[in-house]
Amino acid sequence: MENMKKLSLEEVTDRVAIRDLIDAYAYCADTRDADGQMALFTEDTVFRVFMDERQTEPTQIVYSRTDLAPVFDSLTTYVSTMHFNGQSKITLSGDTAIGTTYCFAHHLTMDGGDKKLMVAAIRYSDDFIKINNRWFFKKRDLKVAWIETKPLNS
């Protein structure tokens, strides 16, 4: 524990605010608040989806906050979702930061009377920026490590 550096109050505040931003993203996804989710991003954001994290080229790229609407609205195809954020590694540099967050995203579908659960293991790679004392996603890469789909008993 000797090597633990002392954090300033500002750094602690920034770290808590960034974690709140990360968790707000998941909360908005699960409550189907696409407008709230979009508001977490800068106007000129870059959002990239890699359906296989081993690929170098993204499956999808979005270049602005307003163009995120269909991406986030697509969650309405599921009966329910539940995102569980795990550990995060954040590196602060003034009013910018980079980070990685682990997430299990649960997606429930119904086909007639059959329920299916799809769980995606996701790593988010983020660039953050603080504007007017508020943190935003400047760039977010959603990288799917694996997906498991299984029948779900009632």
Side-chain angles (χ1 to χ4, degrees):
M1 291 290 185
E2 288 178 30
N3 295 339
M4 296 277 298
K5 80 172 194 170
K6 229 178 182 182
L7 301 177
S8 69
L9 180 57
E10 181 179 9
E11 186 172 355
V12 170
T13 302
D14 285 341
R15 288 181 177 283
V16 169
I18 290 170
R19 184 58 195 218
D20 284 349
L21 175 68
I22 292 165
D23 290 342
Y25 175 91
Y27 179 80
C28 287
D30 292 339
T31 59
R32 306 301 189 269
D33 181 2
D35 289 338
Q37 202 169 10
M38 289 168 44
L40 304 173
F41 291 81
T42 60
E43 291 287 342
D44 62 344
T45 196
V46 175
F47 184 88
R48 303 186 312 168
V49 177
F50 296 80
M51 289 307 292
D52 180 342
E53 70 176 352
R54 297 168 295 179
Q55 299 302 312
T56 56
E57 293 300 314
T59 310
Q60 179 180 18
I61 305 176
V62 176
Y63 291 104
S64 73
R65 177 193 289 169
T66 55
D67 291 341
L68 288 169
V71 175
F72 298 149
D73 282 337
S74 70
L75 289 172
T76 61
T77 61
Y78 299 101
V79 174
S80 182
T81 60
M82 204 168 275
H83 291 71
F84 290 93
N85 289 325
Q87 68 272 25
S88 294
K89 173 69 175 150
I90 306 298
T91 304
L92 288 167
S93 181
D95 286 347
T96 63
I98 57 171
T100 301
T101 300
Y102 289 68
C103 176
F104 282 112
H106 299 72
H107 304 78
L108 178 65
T109 59
M110 295 275 292
D111 184 12
D114 296 330
K115 289 183 188 177
K116 288 186 183 173
L117 180 64
M118 184 270 283
V119 179
I122 297 170
R123 277 184 264 270
Y124 294 105
S125 296
D126 298 312
D127 291 2
F128 306 99
I129 189 166
K130 185 164 55 169
I131 302 169
N132 297 325
N133 214 30
R134 183 173 166 216
W135 285 95
F136 294 90
F137 293 106
K138 175 72 175 160
K139 178 180 170 213
R140 177 158 251 211
D141 285 354
L142 183 162
K143 297 181 177 182
V144 178
W146 72 83
I147 293 176
E148 177 186 12
T149 303
K150 60 185 175 185
L152 189 65
N153 297 327
S154 299

